[in-house]
Amino acid sequence: MDDRQIKVSVLVPIYKVEKYLHRCIDSVISQNFQDYELILVDDGSPDNCPAICDKYQSRYPNIIKIIHKENRGLPSARLAGFEVAKGEYVIFVDSDDYMASGSLQVLYSEISKGYDVVRGRIMREDLQTGNQWYEQYNYDGRTITSNDEYFKAVMVQKIPPYLHSGIYRRDLFDIGMFQKLVDSGISLGEDWIINVAISYRVKKFKSIDMPCYYYCVNSASMIYTSLYSYRLNDEVEQLLYSLTEHFPIEYKRWIKSNRMATNLYSAFVPELGYDAIHYDNARTFINDDDNFALLKTHIDLRFVKFVKHKLLFRFYSKVFCWLYMKFKLKGVSRKVLQ
């Protein structure tokens, strides 16, 4: 790397994406913005990704840093990249996705006006059909100027739950929060967890009405993504409490409400079904009318019908699971992570 001033660090964790890696890297190095570094973290990828990274680094030694490490998962790869990042701001890019042309300059120009986080619009791209469509969120094109409003928007996903597709002040994050995520072994929904963890530090947020990021998905397999077991959901709950122990009491009540909503929703997941212990925990929480009103902001109201009547709720959720498995999943069970 040269001695130029690095304003933005772009972090790309890499594992088994050789088919898409060229497109991802090219989308960054072709940006019309100069003061950045590209950090490629090879997370022990067994395919041709390490060689692809090395080739790019030899061509762009003043821009690209490479970390080759043993495979420990996405949170570990992000931690490794974050530890060597020098920029005042950071951008996270998943290695099978790509940045829109000109987006780095636009994101930097906006965040340098004093924002903590700036997000662009997300364009989903179906890898099977090539179809593209915008993801829609309540705060698209809007600005937030209070910490309280930002935290609540993150909790109910009125803004995207991902780390990608935006630019962040680097000092919103710290090594400890990434390390806690690594130590937990949690590998699903980790972007949202980190966004919750930094939310108390965010005072100014802006969403710009420009497509900045292409989020590539396989629509044929999306419905069959993995699920968290009740046990792993409990671990997510404990991790959230650990990451937010310094948060105000009211914020912690929002987090508790979110996890109780997850418990109730899980009863309607065919592979999980009703669980008496988790139902009882949620039922105790919503005995308080204020808590019940708050919980309703975290969940589709279909899933709280009969919730205060245990037998009716159990029967209702069981019928829902049977119908969903038969007509939506076509009898194909999804993988439950234990």
Side-chain angles (χ1 to χ4, degrees), residues 116-119 139 143-163 167-168 172-173 194-207 251 254:
D116 300 308
V117 181
V118 175
R119 302 200 68 98
Y139 277 86
T143 299
I144 295 175
T145 56
S146 83
N147 168 255
D148 188 67
E149 185 179 5
Y150 182 78
F151 167 76
K152 292 174 181 177
V154 169
M155 288 304 302
V156 296
Q157 297 189 22
K158 289 185 177 180
I159 59 177
Y162 321 114
L163 284 175
I167 185 170
Y168 299 78
L172 293 174
F173 306 89
I194 291 295
N195 271 308
V196 172
I198 69 168
S199 63
Y200 189 51
R201 301 175 180 177
V202 176
K203 304 296 190 293
K204 293 185 67 178
F205 163 87
K206 184 173 185 179
S207 171
Y251 287 20
W254 271 70

mmCIF file of all heavy atoms in Angstrom, residues 116-119 139 143-163 167-168 172-173 194-207 251 254:
data_model
loop_
_atom_site.group_PDB
_atom_site.id
_atom_site.type_symbol
_atom_site.label_atom_id
_atom_site.label_comp_id
_atom_site.label_asym_id
_atom_site.label_seq_id
_atom_site.Cartn_x
_atom_site.Cartn_y
_atom_site.Cartn_z
ATOM 1 N N ASP A 116 -23.587 9.472 10.290
ATOM 2 C CA ASP A 116 -22.932 8.294 10.849
ATOM 3 C C ASP A 116 -23.074 7.091 9.922
ATOM 4 O O ASP A 116 -22.171 6.265 9.822
ATOM 5 C CB ASP A 116 -23.549 7.942 12.211
ATOM 6 C CG ASP A 116 -23.411 9.070 13.215
ATOM 7 O OD1 ASP A 116 -22.292 9.552 13.403
ATOM 8 O OD2 ASP A 116 -24.442 9.468 13.796
ATOM 9 N N VAL A 117 -24.226 6.999 9.281
ATOM 10 C CA VAL A 117 -24.523 5.904 8.350
ATOM 11 C C VAL A 117 -25.260 6.488 7.158
ATOM 12 O O VAL A 117 -26.179 7.296 7.328
ATOM 13 C CB VAL A 117 -25.407 4.819 9.000
ATOM 14 C CG1 VAL A 117 -25.678 3.684 8.000
ATOM 15 C CG2 VAL A 117 -24.771 4.266 10.267
ATOM 16 N N VAL A 118 -24.881 6.080 5.969
ATOM 17 C CA VAL A 118 -25.611 6.433 4.750
ATOM 18 C C VAL A 118 -25.864 5.151 3.975
ATOM 19 O O VAL A 118 -24.940 4.352 3.768
ATOM 20 C CB VAL A 118 -24.838 7.440 3.873
ATOM 21 C CG1 VAL A 118 -25.577 7.683 2.560
ATOM 22 C CG2 VAL A 118 -24.643 8.763 4.616
ATOM 23 N N ARG A 119 -27.079 4.944 3.567
ATOM 24 C CA ARG A 119 -27.439 3.751 2.809
ATOM 25 C C ARG A 119 -27.962 4.151 1.444
ATOM 26 O O ARG A 119 -28.650 5.172 1.294
ATOM 27 C CB ARG A 119 -28.515 2.938 3.526
ATOM 28 C CG ARG A 119 -28.162 2.483 4.923
ATOM 29 C CD ARG A 119 -29.027 1.329 5.339
ATOM 30 N NE ARG A 119 -28.721 0.148 4.559
ATOM 31 C CZ ARG A 119 -27.916 -0.833 4.968
ATOM 32 N NH1 ARG A 119 -27.361 -0.771 6.153
ATOM 33 N NH2 ARG A 119 -27.675 -1.869 4.212
ATOM 34 N N TYR A 139 -37.968 3.677 5.293
ATOM 35 C CA TYR A 139 -37.130 4.861 5.364
ATOM 36 C C TYR A 139 -36.353 5.115 4.073
ATOM 37 O O TYR A 139 -35.413 5.913 4.080
ATOM 38 C CB TYR A 139 -36.169 4.756 6.548
ATOM 39 C CG TYR A 139 -36.808 5.173 7.859
ATOM 40 C CD1 TYR A 139 -37.528 4.269 8.615
ATOM 41 C CD2 TYR A 139 -36.717 6.485 8.319
ATOM 42 C CE1 TYR A 139 -38.128 4.646 9.808
ATOM 43 C CE2 TYR A 139 -37.310 6.879 9.512
ATOM 44 C CZ TYR A 139 -38.013 5.948 10.250
ATOM 45 O OH TYR A 139 -38.610 6.330 11.429
ATOM 46 N N THR A 143 -34.250 10.770 6.051
ATOM 47 C CA THR A 143 -33.165 11.082 6.971
ATOM 48 C C THR A 143 -33.644 10.911 8.402
ATOM 49 O O THR A 143 -34.795 11.211 8.723
ATOM 50 C CB THR A 143 -32.681 12.533 6.752
ATOM 51 O OG1 THR A 143 -32.186 12.673 5.420
ATOM 52 C CG2 THR A 143 -31.564 12.891 7.731
ATOM 53 N N ILE A 144 -32.764 10.412 9.270
ATOM 54 C CA ILE A 144 -33.036 10.289 10.697
ATOM 55 C C ILE A 144 -32.013 11.132 11.450
ATOM 56 O O ILE A 144 -30.819 11.071 11.161
ATOM 57 C CB ILE A 144 -32.936 8.822 11.164
ATOM 58 C CG1 ILE A 144 -34.026 7.969 10.503
ATOM 59 C CG2 ILE A 144 -33.042 8.720 12.688
ATOM 60 C CD1 ILE A 144 -33.915 6.482 10.812
ATOM 61 N N THR A 145 -32.487 11.916 12.407
ATOM 62 C CA THR A 145 -31.578 12.789 13.158
ATOM 63 C C THR A 145 -31.670 12.570 14.667
ATOM 64 O O THR A 145 -31.247 13.409 15.451
ATOM 65 C CB THR A 145 -31.858 14.271 12.843
ATOM 66 O OG1 THR A 145 -33.232 14.562 13.122
ATOM 67 C CG2 THR A 145 -31.549 14.595 11.395
ATOM 68 N N SER A 146 -32.222 11.445 15.071
ATOM 69 C CA SER A 146 -32.241 11.122 16.497
ATOM 70 C C SER A 146 -31.874 9.662 16.703
ATOM 71 O O SER A 146 -32.259 8.796 15.908
ATOM 72 C CB SER A 146 -33.612 11.410 17.116
ATOM 73 O OG SER A 146 -34.515 10.344 16.900
ATOM 74 N N ASN A 147 -31.130 9.418 17.763
ATOM 75 C CA ASN A 147 -30.707 8.062 18.079
ATOM 76 C C ASN A 147 -31.894 7.159 18.348
ATOM 77 O O ASN A 147 -31.940 6.003 17.915
ATOM 78 C CB ASN A 147 -29.777 8.089 19.295
ATOM 79 C CG ASN A 147 -29.513 6.720 19.864
ATOM 80 O OD1 ASN A 147 -30.057 6.382 20.905
ATOM 81 N ND2 ASN A 147 -28.704 5.940 19.185
ATOM 82 N N ASP A 148 -32.907 7.690 19.049
ATOM 83 C CA ASP A 148 -34.089 6.914 19.410
ATOM 84 C C ASP A 148 -34.817 6.410 18.163
ATOM 85 O O ASP A 148 -35.187 5.239 18.071
ATOM 86 C CB ASP A 148 -35.025 7.773 20.260
ATOM 87 C CG ASP A 148 -36.173 6.979 20.840
ATOM 88 O OD1 ASP A 148 -35.935 6.115 21.692
ATOM 89 O OD2 ASP A 148 -37.329 7.236 20.431
ATOM 90 N N GLU A 149 -34.991 7.281 17.188
ATOM 91 C CA GLU A 149 -35.697 6.897 15.965
ATOM 92 C C GLU A 149 -34.897 5.867 15.177
ATOM 93 O O GLU A 149 -35.464 4.912 14.627
ATOM 94 C CB GLU A 149 -35.968 8.127 15.101
ATOM 95 C CG GLU A 149 -36.804 7.831 13.865
ATOM 96 C CD GLU A 149 -37.088 9.069 13.013
ATOM 97 O OE1 GLU A 149 -36.544 10.146 13.344
ATOM 98 O OE2 GLU A 149 -37.830 8.938 12.025
ATOM 99 N N TYR A 150 -33.572 6.035 15.137
ATOM 100 C CA TYR A 150 -32.744 5.086 14.393
ATOM 101 C C TYR A 150 -32.794 3.704 15.028
ATOM 102 O O TYR A 150 -32.963 2.698 14.335
ATOM 103 C CB TYR A 150 -31.294 5.576 14.323
ATOM 104 C CG TYR A 150 -30.414 4.640 13.528
ATOM 105 C CD1 TYR A 150 -30.442 4.654 12.136
ATOM 106 C CD2 TYR A 150 -29.570 3.726 14.158
ATOM 107 C CE1 TYR A 150 -29.661 3.781 11.391
ATOM 108 C CE2 TYR A 150 -28.788 2.854 13.426
ATOM 109 C CZ TYR A 150 -28.836 2.887 12.048
ATOM 110 O OH TYR A 150 -28.079 2.009 11.316
ATOM 111 N N PHE A 151 -32.654 3.642 16.350
ATOM 112 C CA PHE A 151 -32.690 2.360 17.043
ATOM 113 C C PHE A 151 -33.992 1.616 16.749
ATOM 114 O O PHE A 151 -33.985 0.423 16.432
ATOM 115 C CB PHE A 151 -32.537 2.578 18.553
ATOM 116 C CG PHE A 151 -32.860 1.361 19.373
ATOM 117 C CD1 PHE A 151 -31.972 0.302 19.461
ATOM 118 C CD2 PHE A 151 -34.075 1.259 20.036
ATOM 119 C CE1 PHE A 151 -32.274 -0.832 20.212
ATOM 120 C CE2 PHE A 151 -34.392 0.133 20.784
ATOM 121 C CZ PHE A 151 -33.488 -0.908 20.873
ATOM 122 N N LYS A 152 -35.116 2.308 16.847
ATOM 123 C CA LYS A 152 -36.406 1.657 16.630
ATOM 124 C C LYS A 152 -36.576 1.219 15.176
ATOM 125 O O LYS A 152 -37.163 0.165 14.899
ATOM 126 C CB LYS A 152 -37.530 2.591 17.061
ATOM 127 C CG LYS A 152 -37.554 2.808 18.573
ATOM 128 C CD LYS A 152 -38.585 3.844 19.002
ATOM 129 C CE LYS A 152 -38.552 4.050 20.526
ATOM 130 N NZ LYS A 152 -39.504 5.103 20.956
ATOM 131 N N ALA A 153 -36.039 2.006 14.243
ATOM 132 C CA ALA A 153 -36.112 1.626 12.826
ATOM 133 C C ALA A 153 -35.314 0.354 12.558
ATOM 134 O O ALA A 153 -35.724 -0.496 11.760
ATOM 135 C CB ALA A 153 -35.604 2.769 11.949
ATOM 136 N N VAL A 154 -34.165 0.215 13.226
ATOM 137 C CA VAL A 154 -33.358 -1.004 13.085
ATOM 138 C C VAL A 154 -34.096 -2.203 13.677
ATOM 139 O O VAL A 154 -34.156 -3.277 13.078
ATOM 140 C CB VAL A 154 -31.990 -0.836 13.780
ATOM 141 C CG1 VAL A 154 -31.252 -2.171 13.870
ATOM 142 C CG2 VAL A 154 -31.138 0.174 13.038
ATOM 143 N N MET A 155 -34.700 -2.015 14.852
ATOM 144 C CA MET A 155 -35.342 -3.119 15.547
ATOM 145 C C MET A 155 -36.497 -3.721 14.747
ATOM 146 O O MET A 155 -36.709 -4.933 14.763
ATOM 147 C CB MET A 155 -35.848 -2.658 16.913
ATOM 148 C CG MET A 155 -34.761 -2.409 17.939
ATOM 149 S SD MET A 155 -33.684 -3.841 18.225
ATOM 150 C CE MET A 155 -34.868 -5.083 18.732
ATOM 151 N N VAL A 156 -37.273 -2.888 14.065
ATOM 152 C CA VAL A 156 -38.429 -3.398 13.315
ATOM 153 C C VAL A 156 -38.147 -3.443 11.816
ATOM 154 O O VAL A 156 -39.051 -3.602 11.008
ATOM 155 C CB VAL A 156 -39.694 -2.566 13.614
ATOM 156 C CG1 VAL A 156 -40.079 -2.694 15.072
ATOM 157 C CG2 VAL A 156 -39.508 -1.101 13.245
ATOM 158 N N GLN A 157 -36.868 -3.302 11.452
ATOM 159 C CA GLN A 157 -36.400 -3.426 10.070
ATOM 160 C C GLN A 157 -37.145 -2.505 9.107
ATOM 161 O O GLN A 157 -37.536 -2.905 8.010
ATOM 162 C CB GLN A 157 -36.456 -4.888 9.618
ATOM 163 C CG GLN A 157 -35.536 -5.775 10.447
ATOM 164 C CD GLN A 157 -35.375 -7.176 9.918
ATOM 165 O OE1 GLN A 157 -35.596 -7.444 8.732
ATOM 166 N NE2 GLN A 157 -34.978 -8.105 10.766
ATOM 167 N N LYS A 158 -37.299 -1.249 9.525
ATOM 168 C CA LYS A 158 -37.786 -0.224 8.611
ATOM 169 C C LYS A 158 -36.654 0.303 7.740
ATOM 170 O O LYS A 158 -36.881 1.056 6.801
ATOM 171 C CB LYS A 158 -38.440 0.919 9.392
ATOM 172 C CG LYS A 158 -39.764 0.541 10.028
ATOM 173 C CD LYS A 158 -40.434 1.742 10.686
ATOM 174 C CE LYS A 158 -41.794 1.360 11.252
ATOM 175 N NZ LYS A 158 -42.469 2.513 11.901
ATOM 176 N N ILE A 159 -35.430 -0.085 8.084
ATOM 177 C CA ILE A 159 -34.267 0.119 7.230
ATOM 178 C C ILE A 159 -33.641 -1.255 7.013
ATOM 179 O O ILE A 159 -33.892 -2.180 7.781
ATOM 180 C CB ILE A 159 -33.254 1.106 7.844
ATOM 181 C CG1 ILE A 159 -32.759 0.598 9.198
ATOM 182 C CG2 ILE A 159 -33.859 2.486 7.991
ATOM 183 C CD1 ILE A 159 -31.714 1.494 9.822
ATOM 184 N N PRO A 160 -32.843 -1.445 5.975
ATOM 185 C CA PRO A 160 -32.300 -2.775 5.688
ATOM 186 C C PRO A 160 -31.515 -3.341 6.865
ATOM 187 O O PRO A 160 -30.780 -2.607 7.549
ATOM 188 C CB PRO A 160 -31.400 -2.528 4.478
ATOM 189 C CG PRO A 160 -31.973 -1.320 3.813
ATOM 190 C CD PRO A 160 -32.461 -0.457 4.934
ATOM 191 N N PRO A 161 -31.626 -4.644 7.118
ATOM 192 C CA PRO A 161 -30.927 -5.266 8.242
ATOM 193 C C PRO A 161 -29.486 -5.643 7.933
ATOM 194 O O PRO A 161 -28.772 -6.145 8.793
ATOM 195 C CB PRO A 161 -31.756 -6.531 8.494
ATOM 196 C CG PRO A 161 -32.275 -6.907 7.137
ATOM 197 C CD PRO A 161 -32.540 -5.594 6.438
ATOM 198 N N TYR A 162 -29.038 -5.387 6.702
ATOM 199 C CA TYR A 162 -27.734 -5.857 6.262
ATOM 200 C C TYR A 162 -26.616 -4.887 6.648
ATOM 201 O O TYR A 162 -26.846 -3.697 6.877
ATOM 202 C CB TYR A 162 -27.709 -6.030 4.743
ATOM 203 C CG TYR A 162 -28.966 -6.579 4.145
ATOM 204 C CD1 TYR A 162 -29.765 -5.808 3.301
ATOM 205 C CD2 TYR A 162 -29.382 -7.883 4.434
ATOM 206 C CE1 TYR A 162 -30.926 -6.316 2.748
ATOM 207 C CE2 TYR A 162 -30.543 -8.393 3.881
ATOM 208 C CZ TYR A 162 -31.326 -7.592 3.038
ATOM 209 O OH TYR A 162 -32.477 -8.094 2.502
ATOM 210 N N LEU A 163 -25.389 -5.390 6.665
ATOM 211 C CA LEU A 163 -24.226 -4.518 6.747
ATOM 212 C C LEU A 163 -23.852 -3.980 5.375
ATOM 213 O O LEU A 163 -23.290 -2.886 5.261
ATOM 214 C CB LEU A 163 -23.035 -5.268 7.359
ATOM 215 C CG LEU A 163 -23.077 -5.475 8.876
ATOM 216 C CD1 LEU A 163 -21.902 -6.328 9.329
ATOM 217 C CD2 LEU A 163 -23.080 -4.149 9.616
ATOM 218 N N ILE A 167 -22.566 2.848 3.890
ATOM 219 C CA ILE A 167 -21.253 3.257 4.367
ATOM 220 C C ILE A 167 -21.402 3.701 5.813
ATOM 221 O O ILE A 167 -22.385 4.352 6.181
ATOM 222 C CB ILE A 167 -20.652 4.375 3.474
ATOM 223 C CG1 ILE A 167 -19.229 4.711 3.910
ATOM 224 C CG2 ILE A 167 -21.539 5.616 3.454
ATOM 225 C CD1 ILE A 167 -18.496 5.628 2.919
ATOM 226 N N TYR A 168 -20.443 3.322 6.651
ATOM 227 C CA TYR A 168 -20.510 3.560 8.083
ATOM 228 C C TYR A 168 -19.252 4.289 8.558
ATOM 229 O O TYR A 168 -18.157 4.047 8.026
ATOM 230 C CB TYR A 168 -20.565 2.245 8.861
ATOM 231 C CG TYR A 168 -21.738 1.346 8.599
ATOM 232 C CD1 TYR A 168 -21.796 0.537 7.461
ATOM 233 C CD2 TYR A 168 -22.788 1.252 9.518
ATOM 234 C CE1 TYR A 168 -22.868 -0.317 7.234
ATOM 235 C CE2 TYR A 168 -23.859 0.396 9.311
ATOM 236 C CZ TYR A 168 -23.890 -0.382 8.167
ATOM 237 O OH TYR A 168 -24.950 -1.234 7.945
ATOM 238 N N LEU A 172 -17.996 3.470 14.729
ATOM 239 C CA LEU A 172 -19.241 2.914 15.263
ATOM 240 C C LEU A 172 -19.025 1.488 15.758
ATOM 241 O O LEU A 172 -19.727 1.014 16.655
ATOM 242 C CB LEU A 172 -20.342 2.906 14.197
ATOM 243 C CG LEU A 172 -20.872 4.249 13.703
ATOM 244 C CD1 LEU A 172 -21.836 4.022 12.548
ATOM 245 C CD2 LEU A 172 -21.558 5.018 14.821
ATOM 246 N N PHE A 173 -18.055 0.821 15.155
ATOM 247 C CA PHE A 173 -17.771 -0.582 15.458
ATOM 248 C C PHE A 173 -16.560 -0.675 16.381
ATOM 249 O O PHE A 173 -15.764 0.254 16.490
ATOM 250 C CB PHE A 173 -17.468 -1.362 14.177
ATOM 251 C CG PHE A 173 -18.519 -1.249 13.109
ATOM 252 C CD1 PHE A 173 -18.465 -0.230 12.167
ATOM 253 C CD2 PHE A 173 -19.563 -2.156 13.046
ATOM 254 C CE1 PHE A 173 -19.427 -0.128 11.171
ATOM 255 C CE2 PHE A 173 -20.535 -2.064 12.065
ATOM 256 C CZ PHE A 173 -20.467 -1.048 11.122
ATOM 257 N N ILE A 194 -25.261 -7.042 14.466
ATOM 258 C CA ILE A 194 -24.251 -5.983 14.541
ATOM 259 C C ILE A 194 -24.896 -4.614 14.364
ATOM 260 O O ILE A 194 -24.517 -3.635 15.033
ATOM 261 C CB ILE A 194 -23.143 -6.207 13.505
ATOM 262 C CG1 ILE A 194 -22.305 -7.439 13.885
ATOM 263 C CG2 ILE A 194 -22.239 -4.980 13.397
ATOM 264 C CD1 ILE A 194 -21.529 -7.306 15.179
ATOM 265 N N ASN A 195 -25.878 -4.503 13.483
ATOM 266 C CA ASN A 195 -26.566 -3.223 13.319
ATOM 267 C C ASN A 195 -27.280 -2.805 14.596
ATOM 268 O O ASN A 195 -27.336 -1.624 14.930
ATOM 269 C CB ASN A 195 -27.548 -3.289 12.152
ATOM 270 C CG ASN A 195 -26.903 -2.917 10.829
ATOM 271 O OD1 ASN A 195 -26.277 -1.868 10.722
ATOM 272 N ND2 ASN A 195 -27.042 -3.763 9.827
ATOM 273 N N VAL A 196 -27.838 -3.766 15.318
ATOM 274 C CA VAL A 196 -28.433 -3.456 16.619
ATOM 275 C C VAL A 196 -27.348 -2.982 17.582
ATOM 276 O O VAL A 196 -27.514 -2.000 18.311
ATOM 277 C CB VAL A 196 -29.178 -4.672 17.206
ATOM 278 C CG1 VAL A 196 -29.615 -4.394 18.646
ATOM 279 C CG2 VAL A 196 -30.396 -5.023 16.357
ATOM 280 N N ALA A 197 -26.212 -3.662 17.585
ATOM 281 C CA ALA A 197 -25.134 -3.350 18.521
ATOM 282 C C ALA A 197 -24.608 -1.927 18.348
ATOM 283 O O ALA A 197 -24.244 -1.273 19.343
ATOM 284 C CB ALA A 197 -23.992 -4.356 18.364
ATOM 285 N N ILE A 198 -24.559 -1.422 17.116
ATOM 286 C CA ILE A 198 -24.041 -0.075 16.883
ATOM 287 C C ILE A 198 -25.129 0.989 16.936
ATOM 288 O O ILE A 198 -24.831 2.183 16.919
ATOM 289 C CB ILE A 198 -23.311 0.027 15.524
ATOM 290 C CG1 ILE A 198 -24.300 -0.095 14.359
ATOM 291 C CG2 ILE A 198 -22.180 -0.987 15.422
ATOM 292 C CD1 ILE A 198 -23.710 0.275 13.002
ATOM 293 N N SER A 199 -26.380 0.590 17.019
ATOM 294 C CA SER A 199 -27.485 1.529 16.856
ATOM 295 C C SER A 199 -27.490 2.649 17.881
ATOM 296 O O SER A 199 -27.888 3.782 17.585
ATOM 297 C CB SER A 199 -28.830 0.786 16.887
ATOM 298 O OG SER A 199 -29.034 0.152 18.139
ATOM 299 N N TYR A 200 -27.029 2.370 19.091
ATOM 300 C CA TYR A 200 -27.032 3.387 20.139
ATOM 301 C C TYR A 200 -26.001 4.482 19.865
ATOM 302 O O TYR A 200 -26.056 5.563 20.452
ATOM 303 C CB TYR A 200 -26.780 2.732 21.507
ATOM 304 C CG TYR A 200 -26.987 3.662 22.675
ATOM 305 C CD1 TYR A 200 -28.157 4.404 22.807
ATOM 306 C CD2 TYR A 200 -26.010 3.800 23.663
ATOM 307 C CE1 TYR A 200 -28.344 5.262 23.882
ATOM 308 C CE2 TYR A 200 -26.194 4.648 24.743
ATOM 309 C CZ TYR A 200 -27.365 5.383 24.835
ATOM 310 O OH TYR A 200 -27.559 6.228 25.901
ATOM 311 N N ARG A 201 -25.061 4.217 18.962
ATOM 312 C CA ARG A 201 -24.026 5.191 18.627
ATOM 313 C C ARG A 201 -24.395 6.041 17.421
ATOM 314 O O ARG A 201 -23.678 6.988 17.084
ATOM 315 C CB ARG A 201 -22.700 4.472 18.364
ATOM 316 C CG ARG A 201 -22.198 3.639 19.539
ATOM 317 C CD ARG A 201 -20.943 2.853 19.178
ATOM 318 N NE ARG A 201 -20.468 2.062 20.320
ATOM 319 C CZ ARG A 201 -19.428 1.249 20.272
ATOM 320 N NH1 ARG A 201 -18.740 1.111 19.140
ATOM 321 N NH2 ARG A 201 -19.067 0.573 21.350
ATOM 322 N N VAL A 202 -25.474 5.686 16.744
ATOM 323 C CA VAL A 202 -25.855 6.374 15.506
ATOM 324 C C VAL A 202 -26.826 7.512 15.824
ATOM 325 O O VAL A 202 -27.911 7.289 16.352
ATOM 326 C CB VAL A 202 -26.500 5.401 14.503
ATOM 327 C CG1 VAL A 202 -26.971 6.157 13.258
ATOM 328 C CG2 VAL A 202 -25.512 4.303 14.126
ATOM 329 N N LYS A 203 -26.411 8.718 15.471
ATOM 330 C CA LYS A 203 -27.254 9.901 15.702
ATOM 331 C C LYS A 203 -27.843 10.453 14.409
ATOM 332 O O LYS A 203 -28.925 11.038 14.431
ATOM 333 C CB LYS A 203 -26.440 10.994 16.387
ATOM 334 C CG LYS A 203 -25.775 10.568 17.712
ATOM 335 C CD LYS A 203 -26.789 10.206 18.767
ATOM 336 C CE LYS A 203 -26.140 10.013 20.145
ATOM 337 N NZ LYS A 203 -25.242 8.830 20.196
ATOM 338 N N LYS A 204 -27.114 10.285 13.306
ATOM 339 C CA LYS A 204 -27.580 10.837 12.031
ATOM 340 C C LYS A 204 -27.472 9.776 10.945
ATOM 341 O O LYS A 204 -26.396 9.208 10.723
ATOM 342 C CB LYS A 204 -26.763 12.073 11.635
ATOM 343 C CG LYS A 204 -26.950 13.264 12.548
ATOM 344 C CD LYS A 204 -26.207 14.486 12.021
ATOM 345 C CE LYS A 204 -26.810 14.995 10.718
ATOM 346 N NZ LYS A 204 -26.124 16.208 10.217
ATOM 347 N N PHE A 205 -28.584 9.537 10.279
ATOM 348 C CA PHE A 205 -28.671 8.505 9.242
ATOM 349 C C PHE A 205 -29.347 9.099 8.015
ATOM 350 O O PHE A 205 -30.282 9.901 8.130
ATOM 351 C CB PHE A 205 -29.494 7.326 9.759
ATOM 352 C CG PHE A 205 -30.006 6.395 8.681
ATOM 353 C CD1 PHE A 205 -29.217 5.347 8.219
ATOM 354 C CD2 PHE A 205 -31.270 6.564 8.123
ATOM 355 C CE1 PHE A 205 -29.679 4.493 7.226
ATOM 356 C CE2 PHE A 205 -31.741 5.720 7.137
ATOM 357 C CZ PHE A 205 -30.943 4.680 6.683
ATOM 358 N N LYS A 206 -28.882 8.676 6.853
ATOM 359 C CA LYS A 206 -29.520 9.126 5.604
ATOM 360 C C LYS A 206 -29.635 7.953 4.643
ATOM 361 O O LYS A 206 -28.692 7.169 4.471
ATOM 362 C CB LYS A 206 -28.732 10.252 4.953
ATOM 363 C CG LYS A 206 -29.409 10.830 3.711
ATOM 364 C CD LYS A 206 -28.679 12.050 3.184
ATOM 365 C CE LYS A 206 -29.437 12.688 2.024
ATOM 366 N NZ LYS A 206 -28.747 13.891 1.513
ATOM 367 N N SER A 207 -30.787 7.850 4.013
ATOM 368 C CA SER A 207 -30.997 6.894 2.929
ATOM 369 C C SER A 207 -31.124 7.688 1.639
ATOM 370 O O SER A 207 -31.941 8.614 1.554
ATOM 371 C CB SER A 207 -32.274 6.084 3.175
ATOM 372 O OG SER A 207 -32.598 5.311 2.032
ATOM 373 N N TYR A 251 -34.698 0.685 25.681
ATOM 374 C CA TYR A 251 -34.171 -0.005 24.506
ATOM 375 C C TYR A 251 -34.100 -1.507 24.755
ATOM 376 O O TYR A 251 -34.382 -2.323 23.872
ATOM 377 C CB TYR A 251 -32.789 0.522 24.142
ATOM 378 C CG TYR A 251 -32.764 1.896 23.513
ATOM 379 C CD1 TYR A 251 -33.841 2.770 23.660
ATOM 380 C CD2 TYR A 251 -31.669 2.340 22.792
ATOM 381 C CE1 TYR A 251 -33.812 4.029 23.095
ATOM 382 C CE2 TYR A 251 -31.630 3.598 22.220
ATOM 383 C CZ TYR A 251 -32.705 4.447 22.379
ATOM 384 O OH TYR A 251 -32.679 5.690 21.816
ATOM 385 N N TRP A 254 -37.368 -3.063 24.196
ATOM 386 C CA TRP A 254 -37.608 -3.290 22.773
ATOM 387 C C TRP A 254 -36.932 -4.578 22.305
ATOM 388 O O TRP A 254 -37.507 -5.344 21.535
ATOM 389 C CB TRP A 254 -37.093 -2.093 21.967
ATOM 390 C CG TRP A 254 -38.109 -1.006 21.792
ATOM 391 C CD1 TRP A 254 -38.588 -0.175 22.764
ATOM 392 C CD2 TRP A 254 -38.777 -0.654 20.590
ATOM 393 N NE1 TRP A 254 -39.513 0.683 22.234
ATOM 394 C CE2 TRP A 254 -39.647 0.415 20.899
ATOM 395 C CE3 TRP A 254 -38.714 -1.121 19.292
ATOM 396 C CZ2 TRP A 254 -40.453 1.011 19.941
ATOM 397 C CZ3 TRP A 254 -39.518 -0.518 18.320
ATOM 398 C CH2 TRP A 254 -40.370 0.540 18.653
#
